[in-house]
Amino acid sequence: MSTSANIGDLANVSSGAKPVHVICLGLSALDQVWRVDRPFSGGSEKIKAVAYGTLGGGMAANASVAVAKLGASVAFWGRAGNDAAGHEMKSAFTAEGVDVENFRLFADGRSSVSGIIVDSSGERQIVNFRGLFPEAANWLPLDAVARASAVLADPRWVEGAATLFCEARSRGIPTVLDGDMADAEVFERLLPLTDHAIFSEPALTAFAGSADDKSLAALARFGCRVIAVTRGEGGVSWYEDSELHRQAAFSVDVVDTTGAGDVFHGAYTLAIAAGLDVRAAMIFSAATAAMKCRHAGGRNGIPTINECLVFMRTKP
């Protein structure tokens, strides 16, 4: 697709002259999710769960599933242990249509596992064991990057993200960074390699000292084409060409916000890969994330592209 593609053109991502292909690299986790029927109290307590499930999770992992459900070709590159959790994650990817040829299960590794509690308002608390894996990325098949229309990475595998972004940059392929919580040196290494950096509010606060627009603008020093922050119900703000832009969140009845940011990043990367301009990509991503929030679980409720287009036409 050309750089003048519009939102309606997204319906053709899997059947165009050059079908969209996205690579997502980073964290895959196995999420154990408990749902409770009241808001968090903030104190020590024993809470009865009204529901429980085990689901695949992780930032780049959820983003890859979002891309697949939206109808585009996608590969997940990442690491896990050769253990029960690793095999369960790999099976879940395959069931969703995600290419896992380069999701490596290390014999001496330990998979990442998360515990998530979701309260009655849809808010959640997460405890994550990030896993143990080799940091080296010299096994990644960089020739395969030539097939990609865009690439996304989260900050959980720094060596892998830097390797992927350097290769993509050398080929003129857009790079998208999921700016979740990470040490400052991680962002200082990855942001100069990033075309589109999209932070969460907590991560921006931790890195820049605040999540306000002034702190966001200060990150222009890294040379990214777009610097953005997602604000939940407050929508998304971004700087492009030294100008501040905003996109409101879509109003929905929220059941669970788990994975909403991941889905936003996956949808955004797909939109950029398909040639949409930044504002159109932000609108599409906000709609996709909002639709996910109407369902429990980080991957349940991710719409197809056509479902998202219908939803957007019904909203002001």
Side-chain angles (χ1 to χ4, degrees):
M1 290 190 181
S2 72
T3 55
S4 61
N6 59 54
I7 289 177
D9 292 330
L10 286 172
N12 302 315
V13 296
S14 62
S15 59
K18 183 182 178 183
V20 171
H21 177 64
V22 172
I23 296 171
C24 296
L25 177 148
L27 176 67
S28 178
L30 194 66
D31 291 345
Q32 300 182 39
V33 184
W34 292 263
R35 295 188 61 84
V36 299
D37 60 2
R38 57 187 175 82
F40 300 123
S41 71
S44 298
E45 57 183 327
K46 189 177 210 179
I47 309 173
K48 181 180 179 181
V50 296
Y52 167 79
T54 302
L55 307 166
M59 291 164 289
N62 284 341
S64 71
V65 172
V67 174
K69 288 192 172 185
L70 288 165
S73 168
V74 60
F76 177 76
W77 292 9
R79 306 162 297 162
N82 188 16
D83 50 26
H87 286 282
E88 188 168 350
M89 287 186 278
K90 200 163 193 175
S91 295
F93 279 130
T94 301
E96 297 288 3
V98 177
D99 179 344
V100 290
E101 183 178 355
N102 295 296
F103 177 40
R104 179 169 288 192
L105 306 186
F106 290 89
D108 55 352
R110 294 183 64 191
S111 294
S112 178
V113 180
S114 295
I116 302 172
I117 302 175
V118 183
D119 75 6
S120 57
S121 70
E123 294 301 315
R124 81 268 194 221
Q125 294 182 343
I126 303 174
V127 177
N128 171 246
F129 171 69
R130 292 189 179 177
L132 297 172
F133 333 96
E135 179 65 13
N138 55 3
W139 54 272
L140 291 175
L142 296 182
D143 287 348
V145 177
R147 286 188 55 223
S149 314
V151 302
L152 172 144
D154 66 40
R156 293 294 175 266
W157 182 17
V158 182
E159 197 62 37
T163 300
L164 175 62
F165 279 13
C166 284
E167 184 67 21
R169 273 283 183 89
S170 73
R171 296 177 181 272
I173 296 167
T175 60
V176 181
L177 178 65
D178 181 339
D180 198 79
M181 296 294 295
D183 294 337
E185 54 264 32
V186 172
F187 290 126
E188 288 163 1
R189 182 175 182 190
L190 296 181
L191 284 172
L193 303 173
T194 300
D195 298 313
H196 304 259
I198 306 177
F199 284 82
S200 66
E201 282 190 301
L204 181 60
T205 300
F207 179 54
S210 167
D212 63 17
D213 294 335
K214 183 177 180 181
S215 295
L216 186 65
L219 300 188
R221 68 185 186 275
F222 289 101
C224 304
R225 176 187 167 195
V226 173
I227 291 279
V229 57
T230 55
R231 304 187 185 279
E233 292 182 356
V236 57
S237 305
W238 74 95
Y239 276 92
E240 181 185 12
D241 297 328
S242 301
E243 292 187 9
L244 177 66
H245 307 268
R246 301 185 194 277
Q247 170 59 40
F250 286 83
S251 178
V252 295
D253 293 328
V254 174
V255 173
D256 184 0
T257 61
T258 303
D262 309 332
V263 171
F264 185 102
H265 284 87
Y268 183 86
T269 307
L270 167 57
I272 294 299
L276 269 67
D277 64 31
V278 172
R279 178 167 291 281
M282 292 291 185
I283 295 170
F284 173 70
S285 305
T288 306
M291 294 181 75
K292 185 245 83 69
C293 290
R294 302 185 301 183
H295 301 266
R299 298 177 180 177
N300 296 330
I302 300 172
T304 66
I305 280 181
N306 286 332
E307 288 170 342
C308 192
L309 295 177
V310 170
F311 172 83
M312 293 169 68
R313 285 196 293 268
T314 66
K315 295 290 181 178

